[in-house]
Amino acid sequence: MNTFFPGRWIGGATLILGPVVMCAGYLLRYLSTVTALTPQQHAWAEAQPFAAYGQLLAYTSEPALLTLSYAVFALGAVLLFPAFVALAQQVGGALAFWGATLLVAGLFSRLYFAGADQTAFQLTEVIGLDQATDSIMKEYVDISYGPWRLPVWASVGQYAGSLLLAIAAWRSGLFGTARAVMLLLAGGTWMGVLKGASIPDVLVTGLLCVALVPLGAQVLRDRLPAPTGRSKVLSW
């Protein structure tokens, strides 16, 4: 495990910290929006065609809290990069490597979206909420898709990659059916610019913690169980 990137210590630590920090990011994004908006503002935001309207309004009410929540979320994406690489190395095989590669591509797109989020928030401070919202929503599709639509195509890697890596982990016997399904479900969370988080997002990412944190602890202790081949249908 120490021979190849990310190594035992980085791999084990990020398998623990990555999903936990990402789950905290989802929770903070949900709570920050709920805290920043009044019930009337929340109802207005829910009636809009995109979550961006509510997120920009929430930022103007609680800029420090929104910045914290978005920063923790972005940090979770960074930490999951070596975590998914470490998981693929433990599973082994082309299917796992393809899955991890696609998942990492999805994480890169999350960082692009994080940059777009921060730019939008700063724009409200320069030209005001109303003008910033009008300008951003007028170009929202092009902002979200990115140059040559590379970020939006890379974001597809999250969904395809989680499927491939979950299947590979299950086939190898490293994950049973339950943990493979947890990994798969976590890959179905939303992608994009100025998105609002929900309780289901928090719960699904919490399942990723359940799937990866024990593996991270085993990697750090250098006590991984030997893969036993195809798992039974009802297995951990």
Side-chain angles (χ1 to χ4, degrees):
M1 183 65 187
N2 278 320
T3 305
F4 302 103
F5 173 82
R8 172 186 168 194
W9 296 107
I10 296 175
T14 54
L15 280 166
I16 295 172
L17 293 175
V20 171
V21 174
M22 179 61 81
C23 184
Y26 275 110
L27 180 60
L28 285 171
R29 284 180 74 151
Y30 170 73
L31 292 177
S32 62
T33 303
V34 171
T35 301
L37 299 180
T38 66
Q40 294 78 14
Q41 289 173 329
H42 185 72
W44 173 85
E46 287 291 317
Q48 303 309 308
F50 296 100
Y53 290 93
Q55 294 298 294
L56 292 170
L57 177 59
Y59 177 80
T60 60
S61 299
E62 294 285 350
L65 186 57
L66 265 291
T67 299
L68 172 65
S69 66
Y70 275 70
V72 172
F73 186 83
L75 177 60
V78 172
L79 292 172
L80 281 174
F81 167 28
F84 287 140
V85 174
L87 174 58
Q89 287 181 342
Q90 293 301 320
V91 174
L95 194 63
F97 297 154
W98 273 108
T101 299
L102 291 171
L103 272 171
V104 168
L107 294 175
F108 287 168
S109 67
R110 284 198 183 277
L111 293 182
Y112 167 83
F113 298 142
D117 294 335
Q118 180 67 7
T119 302
F121 287 149
Q122 294 304 306
L123 195 60
T124 65
E125 298 187 1
V126 175
I127 62 176
L129 174 63
D130 292 339
Q131 189 174 348
T133 300
D134 290 341
S135 300
I136 292 166
M137 298 316 301
K138 182 179 180 180
E139 302 295 333
Y140 183 76
V141 173
D142 288 336
I143 293 171
S144 297
Y145 285 4
W148 288 5
R149 304 199 173 190
L150 291 176
V152 74
W153 280 113
S155 69
V156 178
Q158 174 183 284
Y159 310 108
S162 61
L163 174 61
L164 295 181
L165 190 53
I167 292 174
W170 180 79
R171 291 182 62 186
S172 73
L174 185 67
F175 280 5
T177 302
R179 293 168 77 184
V181 170
M182 291 175 186
L183 175 61
L184 177 61
L185 290 175
T189 52
W190 47 259
M191 303 277 280
V193 174
L194 295 172
K195 298 292 186 180
S198 64
I199 290 297
D201 296 322
V202 179
L203 295 177
V204 168
T205 315
L207 293 177
L208 186 64
C209 297
V210 176
L212 297 187
V213 168
L215 178 63
Q218 290 176 320
V219 169
L220 288 176
R221 293 197 304 265
D222 200 18
R223 296 181 179 177
L224 285 171
T228 58
R230 184 178 293 274
S231 303
K232 296 180 180 179
V233 174
L234 298 177
S235 59
W236 167 250

